[in-house]
Protein backbone atom coordinates (compact mmCIF):
# COMPACT_ATOMS: atom_id res chain seq x y z
CA UNK A 1 0.00 0.00 0.00
CA UNK A 2 1.21 3.45 -0.91
CA UNK A 3 1.92 5.74 2.01
CA UNK A 4 -0.30 8.79 1.98
CA UNK A 5 1.22 12.21 2.50
CA UNK A 6 -0.56 15.51 2.98
CA UNK A 7 1.50 18.54 2.00
CA UNK A 8 0.32 21.88 3.41
CA UNK A 9 2.11 24.69 1.56
CA UNK A 10 0.71 27.95 0.22
CA UNK A 11 3.30 28.71 -2.45
CA UNK A 12 1.97 26.97 -5.58
CA UNK A 13 5.35 26.44 -7.25
CA UNK A 14 6.88 24.88 -4.12
CA UNK A 15 3.78 22.77 -3.56
CA UNK A 16 3.85 21.51 -7.15
CA UNK A 17 7.51 20.59 -6.94
CA UNK A 18 7.05 18.70 -3.70
CA UNK A 19 3.96 16.86 -4.91
CA UNK A 20 5.66 15.90 -8.15
CA UNK A 21 8.75 14.63 -6.38
CA UNK A 22 6.87 12.64 -3.74
CA UNK A 23 4.56 11.17 -6.32
CA UNK A 24 7.47 10.04 -8.49
CA UNK A 25 8.86 8.42 -5.36
CA UNK A 26 5.75 6.27 -5.08
CA UNK A 27 3.79 8.19 -2.48
CA UNK A 28 0.12 8.95 -2.62
CA UNK A 29 -0.02 12.73 -2.21
CA UNK A 30 -2.54 15.41 -1.43
CA UNK A 31 -1.67 19.11 -1.56
CA UNK A 32 -3.45 21.75 0.51
CA UNK A 33 -2.77 25.50 0.20
CA UNK A 34 -4.10 26.45 3.64
CA UNK A 35 -3.89 25.10 7.17
CA UNK A 36 -7.66 24.82 7.35
CA UNK A 37 -7.85 22.66 4.25
CA UNK A 38 -4.94 20.54 5.43
CA UNK A 39 -6.51 19.93 8.81
CA UNK A 40 -9.88 19.08 7.26
CA UNK A 41 -8.24 16.73 4.78
CA UNK A 42 -6.36 14.95 7.55
CA UNK A 43 -9.49 14.58 9.67
CA UNK A 44 -11.46 13.25 6.73
CA UNK A 45 -9.01 10.90 5.03
CA UNK A 46 -6.01 10.59 7.34
CA UNK A 47 -2.36 10.38 6.30
CA UNK A 48 0.83 8.49 7.07
CA UNK A 49 2.79 11.73 7.28
CA UNK A 50 2.18 15.47 7.02
CA UNK A 51 4.56 18.00 5.48
CA UNK A 52 3.64 21.44 6.78
CA UNK A 53 4.87 24.92 5.97
CA UNK A 54 5.32 27.10 9.07
CA UNK A 55 4.03 30.28 7.41
CA UNK A 56 0.52 29.64 6.13
CA UNK A 57 -2.02 32.26 5.08
CA UNK A 58 -4.70 31.33 7.61
CA UNK A 59 -2.66 29.95 10.52
CA UNK A 60 0.88 29.00 11.42
CA UNK A 61 2.35 25.52 11.56
CA UNK A 62 3.13 26.21 15.22
CA UNK A 63 -0.59 26.44 15.92
CA UNK A 64 -1.72 23.71 13.57
CA UNK A 65 0.75 21.05 14.69
CA UNK A 66 -0.36 20.93 18.35
CA UNK A 67 -3.99 20.83 17.21
CA UNK A 68 -3.26 17.75 15.13
CA UNK A 69 -1.19 16.28 17.98
CA UNK A 70 -4.20 16.34 20.28
CA UNK A 71 -5.73 13.49 18.36
CA UNK A 72 -2.87 11.90 16.43
CA UNK A 73 0.82 11.11 16.55
CA UNK A 74 1.16 11.16 12.75
CA UNK A 75 4.74 12.13 11.81
CA UNK A 76 5.04 15.81 10.89
CA UNK A 77 7.85 17.50 8.95
CA UNK A 78 8.01 21.28 9.04
CA UNK A 79 9.10 23.50 6.19
CA UNK A 80 10.45 26.87 7.17
CA UNK A 81 11.76 29.84 5.26
CA UNK A 82 13.63 31.26 8.21
CA UNK A 83 16.61 29.71 9.95
CA UNK A 84 15.62 31.48 13.21
CA UNK A 85 12.51 29.37 13.38
CA UNK A 86 14.56 26.21 13.48
CA UNK A 87 15.31 26.55 17.19
CA UNK A 88 11.65 26.62 17.91
CA UNK A 89 10.99 23.64 15.71
CA UNK A 90 13.94 21.69 17.08
CA UNK A 91 12.69 22.55 20.56
CA UNK A 92 9.86 20.29 19.47
CA UNK A 93 7.54 21.38 22.23
CA UNK A 94 5.18 21.59 19.31
CA UNK A 95 5.63 17.92 18.50
CA UNK A 96 7.24 17.93 15.06
CA UNK A 97 9.43 15.04 13.96
CA UNK A 98 11.76 16.83 11.58
CA UNK A 99 12.15 20.03 9.58
CA UNK A 100 13.65 21.43 6.39
CA UNK A 101 14.82 24.98 5.77
CA UNK A 102 13.93 26.52 2.41
CA UNK A 103 15.29 26.44 -0.19
CA UNK A 104 15.67 22.68 -0.34
CA UNK A 105 15.58 20.25 -3.20
CA UNK A 106 12.40 18.18 -3.44
CA UNK A 107 14.60 15.08 -3.56
CA UNK A 108 16.08 16.03 -0.23
CA UNK A 109 12.59 16.31 1.21
CA UNK A 110 11.67 12.92 -0.26
CA UNK A 111 14.67 11.36 1.47
CA UNK A 112 13.66 13.01 4.74
CA UNK A 113 10.10 11.75 4.38
CA UNK A 114 11.34 8.19 3.86
CA UNK A 115 13.67 8.47 6.87
CA UNK A 116 10.91 9.74 9.16
CA UNK A 117 8.53 7.02 7.99
CA UNK A 118 11.18 4.37 8.67
CA UNK A 119 11.87 5.75 12.13
CA UNK A 120 8.20 5.68 12.78
CA UNK A 121 7.91 1.95 12.12
CA UNK A 122 7.43 -0.02 15.31
CA UNK A 123 10.76 -1.11 16.77
CA UNK A 124 11.32 -4.74 15.83
CA UNK A 125 14.50 -5.15 17.87
CA UNK A 126 13.30 -7.26 20.78
CA UNK A 127 16.28 -6.30 22.88
CA UNK A 128 15.08 -2.71 22.87
CA UNK A 129 11.75 -3.62 24.38
CA UNK A 130 10.72 -2.61 27.83
CA UNK A 131 8.15 -4.64 29.64
CA UNK A 132 5.99 -3.07 32.26
CA UNK A 133 7.41 -5.28 34.97
CA UNK A 134 10.88 -4.28 33.95
CA UNK A 135 10.17 -0.60 34.09
CA UNK A 136 8.00 -0.73 37.19
CA UNK A 137 9.10 -3.58 39.31
CA UNK A 138 12.72 -4.42 39.08
CA UNK A 139 14.13 -0.97 38.98
CA UNK A 140 11.42 0.68 41.03
CA UNK A 141 11.20 3.66 38.73
CA UNK A 142 8.00 5.69 38.48
CA UNK A 143 7.52 5.03 34.75
CA UNK A 144 5.14 2.71 32.99
CA UNK A 145 5.88 2.08 29.34
CA UNK A 146 2.97 0.94 27.22
CA UNK A 147 4.27 -0.10 23.79
CA UNK A 148 0.86 -0.76 22.34
CA UNK A 149 -0.51 2.63 23.16
CA UNK A 150 2.85 4.30 22.59
CA UNK A 151 2.43 5.89 25.99
CA UNK A 152 4.54 6.50 29.04
CA UNK A 153 3.02 7.12 32.43
CA UNK A 154 5.10 9.10 34.92
CA UNK A 155 3.93 9.07 38.56
CA UNK A 156 0.56 8.01 37.20
CA UNK A 157 0.29 10.86 34.69
CA UNK A 158 0.36 10.09 30.99
CA UNK A 159 3.11 12.16 29.33
CA UNK A 160 2.12 13.66 26.02
CA UNK A 161 5.09 12.63 23.89
CA UNK A 162 6.05 12.83 20.23
CA UNK A 163 6.97 9.48 18.67
CA UNK A 164 10.67 10.32 18.93
CA UNK A 165 10.41 11.31 22.58
CA UNK A 166 8.61 8.06 23.27
CA UNK A 167 11.41 6.05 21.71
CA UNK A 168 14.09 7.92 23.61
CA UNK A 169 12.38 7.63 26.97
CA UNK A 170 11.61 3.99 26.37
CA UNK A 171 15.30 3.28 25.83
CA UNK A 172 16.35 5.25 28.91
CA UNK A 173 13.80 3.39 31.04
CA UNK A 174 15.33 0.08 30.08
CA UNK A 175 18.43 0.58 32.21
CA UNK A 176 18.12 3.40 34.74
CA UNK A 177 21.54 4.76 35.54
CA UNK A 178 23.12 3.50 32.36
CA UNK A 179 24.64 6.30 30.32
CA UNK A 180 23.77 6.35 26.63
CA UNK A 181 25.79 8.53 24.28
CA UNK A 182 23.94 10.74 21.85
CA UNK A 183 25.02 8.58 18.95
CA UNK A 184 23.86 5.42 20.74
CA UNK A 185 20.51 7.04 21.37
CA UNK A 186 20.29 7.99 17.72
CA UNK A 187 21.24 4.46 16.65
CA UNK A 188 18.74 2.77 18.90
CA UNK A 189 15.91 5.22 18.49
CA UNK A 190 16.18 5.72 14.78
CA UNK A 191 18.30 2.94 13.30
CA UNK A 192 19.59 5.66 11.05
CA UNK A 193 22.22 7.82 12.69
CA UNK A 194 23.07 9.83 9.62
CA UNK A 195 19.59 11.18 9.23
CA UNK A 196 19.57 12.70 12.67
CA UNK A 197 21.76 15.23 14.36
CA UNK A 198 23.10 15.10 17.88
CA UNK A 199 21.54 18.48 18.47
CA UNK A 200 18.19 16.91 17.76
CA UNK A 201 18.74 14.44 20.61
CA UNK A 202 19.50 17.34 22.95
CA UNK A 203 16.35 19.10 21.87
CA UNK A 204 14.19 16.02 22.38
CA UNK A 205 15.73 15.40 25.79
CA UNK A 206 15.06 19.02 26.74
CA UNK A 207 11.47 18.67 25.71
CA UNK A 208 11.09 15.38 27.63
CA UNK A 209 12.49 17.00 30.76
CA UNK A 210 10.04 19.87 30.48
CA UNK A 211 7.13 17.46 30.26
CA UNK A 212 8.29 15.50 33.28
CA UNK A 213 8.89 18.67 35.24
CA UNK A 214 5.25 19.52 34.75
CA UNK A 215 4.44 16.34 36.66
CA UNK A 216 7.15 16.63 39.36
CA UNK A 217 8.90 19.95 39.28
CA UNK A 218 11.59 19.07 41.83
CA UNK A 219 12.87 15.94 40.08
CA UNK A 220 15.35 15.83 37.21
CA UNK A 221 14.48 12.39 35.81
CA UNK A 222 17.12 12.45 33.08
CA UNK A 223 20.70 13.12 34.08
CA UNK A 224 23.24 14.71 31.76
CA UNK A 225 26.68 13.14 31.77
CA UNK A 226 29.08 15.71 30.43
CA UNK A 227 30.86 14.62 27.32
CA UNK A 228 29.14 11.25 27.26
CA UNK A 229 25.37 11.45 27.12
CA UNK A 230 22.21 10.89 29.11
CA UNK A 231 20.88 8.45 31.66
CA UNK A 232 17.64 7.96 33.46
CA UNK A 233 17.94 8.78 37.16
CA UNK A 234 18.85 5.55 38.92
CA UNK A 235 17.78 6.08 42.53
CA UNK A 236 14.22 7.16 43.09
CA1 LIG B 1 4.36 29.95 3.26
Amino acid sequence: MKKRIIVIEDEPSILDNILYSLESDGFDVCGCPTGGEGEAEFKKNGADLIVMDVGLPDTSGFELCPRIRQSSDVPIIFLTARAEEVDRIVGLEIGADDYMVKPFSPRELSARVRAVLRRYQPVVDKSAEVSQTESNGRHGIPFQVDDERVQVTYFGDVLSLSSTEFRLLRILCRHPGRVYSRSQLMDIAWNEPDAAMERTVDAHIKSLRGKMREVREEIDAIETHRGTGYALKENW
Side-chain angles (χ1 to χ4, degrees):
M1 259 262 289
K2 280 186 178 180
K3 297 274 187 193
R4 183 163 199 276
I5 298 172
I6 294 176
V7 183
I8 309 172
E9 164 65 66
D10 57 309
E11 279 172 63
S13 61
I14 299 182
L15 181 61
D16 284 351
N17 278 336
I18 294 174
L19 293 179
Y20 177 77
S21 167
L22 290 174
E23 211 166 13
S24 343
D25 255 21
F27 294 107
D28 185 10
V29 293
C30 173
C32 300
T34 66
E37 284 170 69
E39 193 178 5
E41 175 60 30
F42 179 66
K43 278 190 180 147
K44 194 168 167 228
N45 298 314
D48 295 295
L49 185 145
I50 298 175
V51 176
M52 185 188 296
D53 187 28
V54 171
L56 293 164
D58 56 334
T59 181
S60 101
F62 295 140
E63 288 170 35
L64 183 54
C65 180
R67 277 216 298 279
I68 289 175
R69 276 283 168 271
Q70 283 174 3
S71 62
S72 165
D73 60 352
V74 62
I76 294 175
I77 298 179
F78 269 114
L79 306 178
T80 173
R82 291 159 51 205
E84 312 91 80
E85 283 174 338
V86 168
D87 279 340
R88 219 171 137 196
I89 298 169
V90 173
L92 300 167
E93 280 95 14
I94 42 177
D97 295 274
D98 210 342
Y99 67 90
M100 299 219 72
V101 180
K102 296 176 187 176
F104 53 82
S105 76
R107 284 189 57 180
E108 219 179 318
L109 176 65
S110 255
R112 209 62 80 86
V113 164
R114 283 195 304 271
V116 169
L117 285 171
R118 264 200 303 272
R119 255 189 243 167
Y120 195 73
Q121 300 291 321
V123 178
V124 282
D125 176 11
K126 287 278 178 206
S127 68
E129 290 199 354
V130 187
S131 70
Q132 291 206 357
T133 35
E134 199 180 352
S135 58
N136 284 333
R138 188 145 62 86
H139 301 297
I141 58 173
F143 292 91
Q144 249 182 315
V145 179
D146 185 333
D147 281 329
E148 284 183 3
R149 292 174 191 214
V150 197
Q151 252 179 16
V152 180
T153 309
Y154 180 55
F155 286 106
D157 282 12
V158 174
L159 298 170
S160 141
L161 305 173
S162 71
S163 54
T164 308
E165 287 168 358
F166 172 77
R167 281 159 180 265
L168 281 173
L169 187 53
R170 180 174 182 273
I171 291 162
L172 291 171
C173 283
R174 217 179 131 208
H175 295 290
R178 170 167 164 188
V179 180
Y180 293 89
S181 72
R182 289 173 180 79
S183 61
Q184 279 173 327
L185 289 174
M186 288 192 296
D187 281 351
I188 306 170
W190 292 307
N191 301 319
E192 192 169 5
D194 294 342
M197 292 171 296
E198 301 209 339
R199 191 173 155 226
T200 312
V201 174
D202 292 344
H204 285 292
I205 293 281
K206 189 177 164 201
S207 168
L208 269 173
R209 280 180 166 144
K211 287 173 182 179
M212 290 189 268
R213 236 174 248 132
E214 279 172 26
V215 179
R216 284 285 194 285
E217 205 193 333
E218 69 284 7
I219 299 176
D220 191 10
I222 299 175
E223 295 161 349
T224 303
H225 291 256
R226 271 180 179 263
T228 46
Y230 298 102
L232 193 79
K233 179 176 151 67
E234 191 170 12
N235 301 310
W236 288 83

